[in-house]
């Protein structure tokens, strides 16, 4: 009796503290992966897209595939601070994971592409990434009989074209979605799924007067489809401002998902932080460069334990290992 | 910024002097624009009318438009605050939040 009273009081306290605590359903993955009406997901499309994703023949050098940078063994990223592209050129931005990109309204750090279909041809043609002429890619695939029949099965009558290459890649990417993580089991009611420290960390994460992380990292995918300048030291990249020339967008980047976050170090659009501890310390300082800093950020004055709790919570967002079979490429 | 607000107020007074301009409140709520508690993607008003954009979310929002009939940027502001714009010319204005591009509405100014 006494202890349940205590519990009630404690829960009451917690609730009143967590000014913006979201209902737990908000953290459940939507049942269906969204796909445009013009490109419904079918097994044939996914299979074709997967082959294309892993195929280095899509690149000018025949050496770089999408999976070179978006490597499933490295959380669909590359483990590098910033990507390395054609001719070993070091690029200016980090390779984001493609996990859960199906749920994003904008693609890329600066959101310059709307859909996965819009995005897919970009890296093939970019001279710094795969450096391949798009007409040439189509011509090359058309003489590979294995591909011709796969395209026919996936997109009957549409043939091998830039559009069908993009649609197939997008269809495959829509299958790369997060698996159940300890956090999800806890949200569904298994109190033993995560540690007490992680539970506290989640409370600090949501609490507007503590971490305030959920002002931007919200919902099941822990992002808001929004763009923010988090005050990274020395950042010269204009980010979203190049797309939307409104002052608040100077140095702003898309809020990344935090799903499988332990698999995708280093962190931030420029890969400047090696560990989650460093990221949390950054937020605790309220960011470093105050110039055009997002106003949701301020020094947090979290204790060492509270910062540790947040890191413990972030670690519970990594799902069951994905089983990825590497395709035998069509000949 | 301040001078812009004053200019807006000035044009509000001028317009209001005419044929009884109306005022509307559009809430920024759950990362959408809402009117009377319902998501609004298209709204029709008359030239000279004022729209108040009120942030109801516990995080910052922005409001801007780069439309031919009206170019403005209200910066970003927190929960509880509102900023206002007078739409003085007829035409169509796309109003957006730069922070959350899913927040997008069309204002048809008659
Ligand atoms: Cu917004």
């Amino acid at each position: 009796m006494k202890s349940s009273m205590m519990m009630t009081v404690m829960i009451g306290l917690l609730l009143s503290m967590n000014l913006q605590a979201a209902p737990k359903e908000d953290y459940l993955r939507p049942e269906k992966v969204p796909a445009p009406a013009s490109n419904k997901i079918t097994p044939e499309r996914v299979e074709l897209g997967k082959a294309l994703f892993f195929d280095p023949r899509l690149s000018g050098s025949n050496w770089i595939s999408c999976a070179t940078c978006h490597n499933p063994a490295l959380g669909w990223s590359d483990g590098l601070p910033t990507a390395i592209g054609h001719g070993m050129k070091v690029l200016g931005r980090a390779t984001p994971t493609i996990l859960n990109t199906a749920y994003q309204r904008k693609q890329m750090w600066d959101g310059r592409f709307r859909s996965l279909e819009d995005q897919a041809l970009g890296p093939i043609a970019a001279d710094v990434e795969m450096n391949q002429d798009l007409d040439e890619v189509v011509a090359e695939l058309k003489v590979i009989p294995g591909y011709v029949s796969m395209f026919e099965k996936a997109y009957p009558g549409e043939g091998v074209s830039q559009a069908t290459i993009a649609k197939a890649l997008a269809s495959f990417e829509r299958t790369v979605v997060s698996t159940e993580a300890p956090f999800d089991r806890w949200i569904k009611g298994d109190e033993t799924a995560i540690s007490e420290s992680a539970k506290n960390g989640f409370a600090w994460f949501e609490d507007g007067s503590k971490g305030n992380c959920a002002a931007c990292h919200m919902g099941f995918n822990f992002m808001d489809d929004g763009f923010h300048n988090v005050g990274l030291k020395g950042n010269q990249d204009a980010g979203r401002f190049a797309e939307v020339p409104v002052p608040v967008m100077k140095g702003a980047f898309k809020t990344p998902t935090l799903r499988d976050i332990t698999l995708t170090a280093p962190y931030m659009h420029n890969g400047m932080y090696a560990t989650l501890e460093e990221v949390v310390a950054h937020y605790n300082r309220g960011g470093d460069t105050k110039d055009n800093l997002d106003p949701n950020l301020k020094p947090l004055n979290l204790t060492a334990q509270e910062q540790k709790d947040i890191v413990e919570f972030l670690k519970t967002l990594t799902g069951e290992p994905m089983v990825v079979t590497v395709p035998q490429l069509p000949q | 910024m301040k001078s812009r607000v004053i200019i807006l107020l000035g044009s509000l007074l001028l317009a209001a002097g005419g044929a009884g301009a109306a005022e509307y409140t559009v809430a920024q709520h759950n990362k959408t624009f809402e009117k009377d508690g319902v998501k609004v993607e298209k709204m029709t008003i008359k030239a000279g009318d004022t729209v108040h954009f009120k942030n109801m979310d516990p995080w910052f929002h922005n409001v801007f438009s780069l439309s031919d009939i009206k170019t403005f940027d209200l910066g970003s502001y927190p929960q509880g605050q509102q900023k206002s714009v007078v739409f003085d010319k007829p035409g169509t204005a796309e109003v957006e939040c730069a922070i959350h591009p899913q927040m997008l509405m069309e204002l048809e100014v008659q």
Side-chain angles (χ1 to χ4, degrees), chain A residues 306-322:
Chain A
E306 287 165 341
Q307 293 183 57
K308 235 172 133 182
D309 292 340
I310 292 180
V311 171
E312 282 311 304
F313 154 67
L314 292 172
K315 289 181 184 164
T316 69
L317 297 178
T318 298
E320 301 284 342
M322 246 174 252

Side-chain angles (χ1 to χ4, degrees), chain A residues 7 11 14 24 181-200 202 316:
Chain A
M7 276 292 280
I11 289 169
L14 267 172
K24 286 194 166 179
F183 172 78
D184 300 309
R185 291 199 288 280
W186 176 62
I187 280 290
K188 288 177 190 162
D190 178 358
E191 284 299 324
T192 65
I194 69 175
S195 68
E196 288 308 311
S197 169
K199 289 176 200 173
N200 290 334
F202 178 56
T316 69

Side-chain angles (χ1 to χ4, degrees), chain A residues 6-300:
Chain A
M6 279 274 286
M7 276 292 280
T8 320
V9 172
M10 272 175 56
I11 289 169
L13 270 174
L14 267 172
L15 283 177
S16 60
M17 262 165 50
N18 290 341
L19 293 175
Q20 54 181 66
K24 286 194 166 179
E25 310 86 80
D26 278 16
Y27 292 100
L28 297 177
R29 170 138 59 90
E31 259 164 48
K32 280 188 83 167
V33 180
S38 56
N39 191 24
K40 289 260 176 294
I41 302 174
T42 67
E44 293 78 14
R45 291 172 179 183
V46 172
E47 196 192 343
L48 171 61
K50 188 181 201 179
L52 293 168
F53 193 87
F54 281 92
D55 198 333
R57 292 172 295 182
L58 261 58
S59 65
S61 61
N62 292 323
W63 187 52
I64 302 173
S65 71
C66 306
T68 304
C69 298
H70 301 283
N71 182 343
L74 291 167
W76 302 95
S77 184
D78 54 14
L80 299 168
T82 62
I84 295 180
H86 182 76
M88 298 304 285
K89 185 169 165 42
V90 178
L91 308 187
R93 292 183 186 162
T95 306
T97 180
I98 59 154
L99 185 81
N100 289 349
T101 48
Y103 300 97
Q104 294 187 159
R105 291 165 194 265
K106 299 274 182 204
Q107 307 297 336
M108 314 307 263
W109 283 108
D110 56 13
R112 64 186 180 275
F113 295 114
R114 197 174 38 85
S115 67
L116 289 171
E117 282 82 355
D118 291 343
Q119 195 277 338
L121 299 174
I124 303 178
D127 56 355
V128 292
E129 292 192 35
M130 294 163 78
N131 190 39
Q132 173 70 290
D133 182 78
L134 290 173
D135 290 330
E136 210 167 299
V137 132
V138 172
E140 281 179 27
L141 295 183
K142 272 185 173 161
V143 297
I144 301 173
Y147 265 127
V148 174
S149 73
M150 283 175 87
F151 273 90
E152 187 49 35
K153 278 190 208 135
Y155 297 99
E158 292 184 52
V160 183
S161 72
Q162 294 184 21
T164 47
I165 293 171
K167 280 157 85 171
L169 281 165
S171 296
F172 170 64
E173 289 173 302
R174 291 195 175 98
T175 66
V176 182
V177 296
S178 49
T179 54
E180 190 174 70
F183 172 78
D184 300 309
R185 291 199 288 280
W186 176 62
I187 280 290
K188 288 177 190 162
D190 178 358
E191 284 299 324
T192 65
I194 69 175
S195 68
E196 288 308 311
S197 169
K199 289 176 200 173
N200 290 334
F202 178 56
W204 314 143
F205 184 90
E206 280 201 311
D207 189 335
S209 62
K210 285 283 186 183
N212 197 29
C213 315
C216 305
H217 297 282
M218 60 180 85
F220 110 94
N221 203 22
F222 293 92
M223 58 95 75
D224 58 354
D225 287 300
F227 297 83
H228 308 269
N229 181 329
V230 300
L232 302 182
K233 194 181 249 164
N235 174 49
Q236 297 293 325
D237 189 333
R240 181 69 173 161
F241 187 69
E243 298 300 306
V244 179
V246 171
V248 297
M249 290 294 97
K250 271 185 202 149
F253 292 84
K254 191 177 75 220
T255 310
T257 180
L258 299 179
R259 290 273 172 189
D260 281 4
I261 192 68
T262 58
L263 307 180
T264 56
Y267 302 110
M268 302 306 190
H269 77 270
N270 55 8
M272 72 183 288
Y273 291 126
T275 65
L276 291 172
E277 284 79 2
E278 288 172 42
V279 173
V280 173
H282 169 91
Y283 285 114
N284 196 44
R285 294 192 298 275
D288 292 319
T289 304
K290 308 293 174 188
D291 183 30
N292 209 40
L293 182 70
D294 188 286
N296 292 292
L297 298 176
K298 54 183 185 304
L300 301 174

